[in-house]
Amino acid sequence: AAGVIQSPRHLIKEKRETATLKCYPIPRHDTVYWYQQGPGQDPQFLISFYEKMQSDKGSIPDRFSAQQFSDYHSELNMSSLELGDSALYFCASSLGANNSPLHFGNGTRLTVT
Amino acid sequence: AQTVTQSQPEMSVQEAETVTLSCTYDTSESDYYLFWYKQPPSRQMILVIRQEAYKQQNATENRFSVNFQKAAKSFSLKISDSQLGDAAMYFCAYRRGGYGGATNKLIFGTGTLLAVQP
């Protein structure tokens, strides 16, 4: 069965650079969630989209933005990168916004040097 | 706001033995779901088991079972016949049910690192 696809798997950027992370949900899934997991930390919710509209917002810095496109894939744009942005970024998808299970991608590991 | 607490940062179990991981949560909602996720060294997030709050019967998935105590807001995970492949970080997670005008995100606890000794 198709899973959530995230690209790239690994990304190395320098401070003050920009990064774009991509997420392709499971086919027919209309809801996407982004999480940030720092080293030794639990995943922290950043933002979610339902039917291409932002539906919830968590602890996402103003330097970050995201959107969901017409084909339901989502992109997380990160600007003015800081060392503290180094983390594993997970995308998850679900069918519907509420009660169906979240399926996680394998994550993008971002390293800021 | 909902919170999830895992008070055991690390646990250890002998292969083939049974171990229980603890989780408590706080919510004023009546409709919600509880989950245990496993994160092995590969960092992939794997769903282990799910419990609907409205169900009294404890969920079971093969060697994994939960003890759901709704009144006490407790949700522990029992792993029977532990295997080396069970070694991982385990996260307890909460998700509100129903529709509140926003997607119902997962809220994670801080995790319990489980080591399995051969």
Side-chain angles (χ1 to χ4, degrees), chain A residues 1-83:
Chain A
V4 177
I5 306 296
Q6 289 188 247
S7 68
R9 289 297 305 276
H10 302 275
L11 190 58
I12 299 175
K13 291 286 186 177
E14 295 187 354
K15 283 196 309 183
R16 292 179 289 277
E17 285 193 320
T18 298
T20 297
L21 279 54
K22 297 184 179 183
C23 170
Y24 297 87
I26 291 172
R28 296 195 305 117
H29 281 195
D30 50 15
T31 307
V32 168
Y33 309 77
W34 286 97
Y35 283 83
Q36 177 192 57
Q37 186 178 25
Q41 303 293 315
D42 54 292
Q44 295 293 314
F45 173 71
L46 292 177
I47 196 166
S48 62
F49 294 88
Y50 171 58
E51 281 292 344
K52 294 157 279 185
M53 299 288 290
Q54 180 183 309
S55 54
D56 199 0
K57 194 172 181 180
S59 50
I60 183 170
D62 292 340
R63 300 178 288 107
F64 294 7
S65 64
Q67 58 182 320
Q68 186 178 31
F69 295 84
S70 58
D71 64 351
Y72 294 104
H73 94 273
S74 179
E75 295 184 3
L76 177 66
N77 298 293
M78 310 159 71
S79 63
S80 302
L81 287 169
E82 302 173 357
L83 295 178

Side-chain angles (χ1 to χ4, degrees), chain A residues 96-108:
Chain A
N98 307 110
N99 299 331
S100 63
L102 271 66
H103 298 262
F104 282 84
N106 288 333
T108 293

